[in-house]
Amino acid sequence: MLDKGLAYLRPGPFYDNRPDATDMWDASAFQAFLDRSFEQFIEQDARRLLIDLRDNPGGDNSFSDRMIAWFADRPFRFTE
């Protein structure tokens, strides 16, 4: 959390880049990270969210969609 109710999230790449990862496309660790992060934001009464995607190399929408699902208020889908 930053000042004045601003939540800050830097998700990193949208794939599992941990050195011990056995499947880079398994999003379970990323989902756990998101769940912890957004639960803390809610507990701390965040009013705004800054998502820092600097130097993000991309990845797969099965990761980014999980992040968007936390705040989307309408159905969404990935398109090219």
Side-chain angles (χ1 to χ4, degrees):
M1 289 292 297
L2 302 176
D3 292 340
K4 300 178 184 175
L6 176 60
Y8 175 84
L9 182 68
R10 188 163 190 182
F14 296 128
Y15 56 87
D16 192 344
N17 69 339
R18 297 173 303 151
D20 61 336
T22 57
D23 177 5
M24 69 186 291
W25 303 117
D26 179 2
S28 57
F30 187 74
Q31 181 70 58
F33 161 74
L34 291 174
D35 291 346
R36 284 190 311 273
S37 298
F38 279 94
E39 287 165 2
Q40 288 176 358
F41 298 158
I42 291 166
E43 288 171 7
Q44 295 180 29
D45 201 28
R47 296 290 175 214
R48 297 172 294 149
L49 173 63
L50 172 64
I51 301 173
D52 186 347
L53 296 175
R54 285 178 292 172
D55 301 319
N56 182 302
D60 189 75
N61 70 298
S62 65
F63 286 69
S64 57
D65 284 359
R66 294 167 189 255
M67 179 180 65
I68 294 167
W70 267 100
F71 54 84
D73 59 359
R74 294 184 299 195
F76 64 93
R77 64 184 174 164
F78 177 81
T79 61
E80 293 183 28

